[in-house]
Amino acid sequence: LISFISVAQSKDCKYKTKYDEFEKTTRYSVENKFLTASLSSLGYSVYAFKKNDTFLGAFIMFSVNGTGGCTASNSYVSFMFDDNEVKEYKYTGEIDCGTHNITIDLQKADLELLASKKVTKIRVCFDYPKDYDVSENKIVKFAESLKCILSEF
C-alpha cells in the first residue's frame, strides 16, 4: 500500500502530512522555506512525527546557499532571541562532508520555545560558524509554521 500525502490548510496554517502505514506514524512538515532574503540565504524545512496521538520527535533541516562544509559532532545551530538569550542545538548525525544541510533534533518544548520567542539571528556551524540575520517577515512565518505543526500535538 502507498502512504498518502495531504496538505492541511486553514486561515493561517499550511503544512503537509504523510501517513506511514508500516510504522503507523504521521509526519507533519513545512518544507523549503527561507529565513533570509540575501544571496547567502538560509532555508529550512520542519518535520514532526506522531504515533497514536503521541509526539515522537521533530527536526529542522537548515540549508545554506554557498559554502557548506562538513557536519560532525562539533556542528550546531544557535538561535539568538530579541532578549539576547542564545539557545544552541548540537548536530547529532553522522559525519557528512560536502553538504549544505544540517539537521537538529527537537522535542516539543523546543518547538514551543522557537514558536514563542522572536529570533533575531541564527548561527550555523559546519567547519566554522556563519551568522545569518533573519528577515522580520520571514521569522514571523517561521514561528507561524511551528505553531501550525504544534497545533497537531
Side-chain angles (χ1 to χ4, degrees), residues 47-66:
Y47 301 90
F49 301 86
K50 78 176 178 182
K51 182 174 187 173
N52 300 326
D53 293 327
T54 301
F55 179 84
L56 296 177
F59 69 90
I60 302 176
M61 179 176 63
F62 289 96
S63 303
V64 297
N65 184 14

Side-chain angles (χ1 to χ4, degrees), residues 15-40:
Y15 56 87
K16 294 180 184 178
T17 62
K18 181 178 180 181
Y19 182 73
D20 183 321
E21 294 177 351
F22 287 93
E23 298 291 327
K24 307 289 188 246
T25 59
T26 303
R27 178 186 80 189
Y28 299 86
S29 63
V30 174
E31 301 176 31
N32 302 317
K33 303 295 181 185
F34 290 92
L35 288 164
T36 59
S38 66
L39 290 176
S40 61

Side-chain angles (χ1 to χ4, degrees), residues 87-124:
K87 179 74 174 166
E88 181 178 292
Y89 296 93
K90 295 283 188 188
Y91 171 74
T92 58
E94 300 292 322
I95 294 174
D96 185 10
C97 288
T99 186
H100 295 269
N101 300 320
I102 184 171
T103 58
I104 54 171
D105 294 328
L106 303 169
Q107 296 302 314
K108 187 177 178 185
D110 299 314
L111 290 175
E112 291 167 342
L113 174 74
L114 294 173
S116 65
K117 294 190 76 170
K118 183 179 175 188
V119 176
T120 57
K121 286 188 178 191
I122 298 175
R123 173 173 284 174
V124 176

